Amino acid sequence: IVVSGTVKISHNQGDFVVGPGAVIGLSEGLLGIKATSTVQAVSPVNTRIIPILAGARATTESNSGIKCIFRSLITRILHISVFPKVLQ
């Protein structure tokens, strides 16, 4: 999670500059796949790391509305339609 500063994410769909509040790599982590984006600091950056097991556990324990939001975002970002148990 970007706490302060900005980063550039280079992805096959283009480059994106994001700042505080951006969550990077969560979709890939929940799916257990390798991230395909490259991330580069544009300005000095502070981040917080969420261990993927903690993120997966929190997602599993989330209500169906939160899981639906994750599925929608992952579908849009990674173009998949089959989800792991953590998102069902």
Side-chain angles (χ1 to χ4, degrees):
I1 300 174
V2 178
V3 175
S4 64
T6 54
V7 297
K8 179 174 82 170
I9 301 172
S10 297
H11 190 266
N12 62 2
Q13 297 176 353
D15 292 346
F16 308 91
V17 177
V18 297
V23 178
I24 302 168
L26 180 62
S27 299
E28 293 87 351
L30 288 175
L31 294 174
I33 62 175
K34 183 179 177 184
T36 58
S37 302
T38 302
V39 180
Q40 180 179 9
V42 175
S43 66
V45 177
N46 287 312
T47 62
R48 298 282 298 206
I49 295 175
I50 301 173
I52 196 56
L53 293 178
R57 184 174 51 253
T59 301
T60 299
E61 297 168 356
S62 296
N63 67 44
S64 60
I66 296 296
K67 289 181 185 178
C68 183
I69 291 169
F70 277 130
R71 285 192 301 268
S72 176
L73 288 171
I74 289 172
T75 298
R76 189 185 68 187
I77 294 168
L78 299 178
H79 308 288
I80 66 160
S81 58
V82 177
F83 299 96
K85 188 174 182 177
V86 69
L87 290 171
Q88 294 177 359

